[in-house]
Amino acid sequence: KTCQKEFGKRGLYSAKTYAKMVKKFERGRQDAAGHDHPGAGISIFEGGHLLRRVPSRSAASGGIHRQPVSRSPVREALRRLAADGLVEEVPNKGVTVKRYSARDMEEIYEMRVMMENEAIDHLTRAKLAPMEDELTSLLARMKLAYQRRDMPDYITMDSQLHRMLVRGSGNALLFQLYDRIDTLIRQFRRFSLVDPVRQADSVVEHETILQMLLQGNNDAAKEENKRHLLLARDQVVAYLNSLPEE
């Protein structure tokens, strides 16, 4: 719960997303232990032991039983989170949620612009043709999400559209590197769309980028994409600069 609270405070994940992460991690821990406990509930680690709420009368009344658990799955989970840049090891403190500064975001967005525009350079009409229907569908769903003021769905469609453009370039290594950048930025995307005017502009910018690409005007698409990403960066940086220093 402490970790969930910290992730939420940093704008990293919604409660729903965090719950999915916990469920996935718990499933991996069970597999590593060689047994499964379907629907066992939330697990809490303390002092090298697992405190598990079980589906029984004792659990219903808040009862908890103690069960030893290997630390290897825990280390592996933390290693993966660290590789994604979501946590970091602090001397004498252990592993904590990684804090990103405004300068970090400036550098990350700079890399994102470079990667996406490199991908756009390689998006020939032949490569775009098989994706055209799906890209058009994503854009339509983005517009609908905007009209419904469904920010989570809008952000999901936004991410999928940009990822599809990079993957469509055909450069597997570029997409692999971009995937890591996208993971870092995803946790901050909602802060780039807090301003209602910015939300409306974002819809138009995505539409313009796609139109330019489908017309074969990759240079214009790159310019619009760069402008779009830098505007998003400015919103995220402004948010981070508004946070109180700790």
Side-chain angles (χ1 to χ4, degrees), residues 160-230:
Q160 288 183 12
L161 190 148
H162 284 273
R163 289 170 64 85
M164 183 174 291
L165 293 178
V166 176
R167 185 169 55 242
S169 70
N171 189 323
L173 180 57
L174 177 63
F175 182 72
Q176 183 180 357
L177 296 173
Y178 179 81
D179 187 53
R180 295 193 62 183
I181 293 293
D182 185 54
T183 298
L184 296 177
I185 290 179
R186 195 176 307 161
Q187 50 194 286
F188 296 99
R189 280 185 184 235
R190 63 191 178 98
F191 300 116
S192 71
L193 297 167
V194 173
D195 182 359
V197 175
R198 180 70 207 120
Q199 293 179 32
D201 289 346
S202 174
V203 176
V204 176
E205 288 156 15
H206 284 96
E207 187 170 27
T208 302
I209 292 167
L210 188 53
Q211 285 177 349
M212 294 298 98
L213 281 172
L214 295 178
Q215 291 172 9
N217 193 343
N218 289 42
D219 287 339
K222 284 167 55 180
E223 284 301 314
E224 182 65 12
N225 187 62
K226 180 178 180 180
R227 189 176 74 86
H228 164 69
L229 295 179
L230 294 184

Side-chain angles (χ1 to χ4, degrees), residues 22 33 38 56-57 69 85 87 96 113 122 128 139 143 148 169 183 188 196 205 217 227 236:
V22 171
S56 64
R57 292 182 179 178
V69 61
V87 300
T96 65
V113 170
H122 292 83
L128 276 170
L139 182 62
K143 290 180 178 179
R148 294 197 312 255
S169 70
T183 298
F188 296 99
E205 288 156 15
N217 193 343
R227 189 176 74 86
V236 173

Side-chain angles (χ1 to χ4, degrees), residues 48-66:
H49 290 79
L50 171 68
L51 303 181
R52 175 193 296 281
R53 295 187 183 277
V54 293
S56 64
R57 292 182 179 178
S58 62
S61 61
I64 299 176
H65 74 82
R66 191 177 298 270

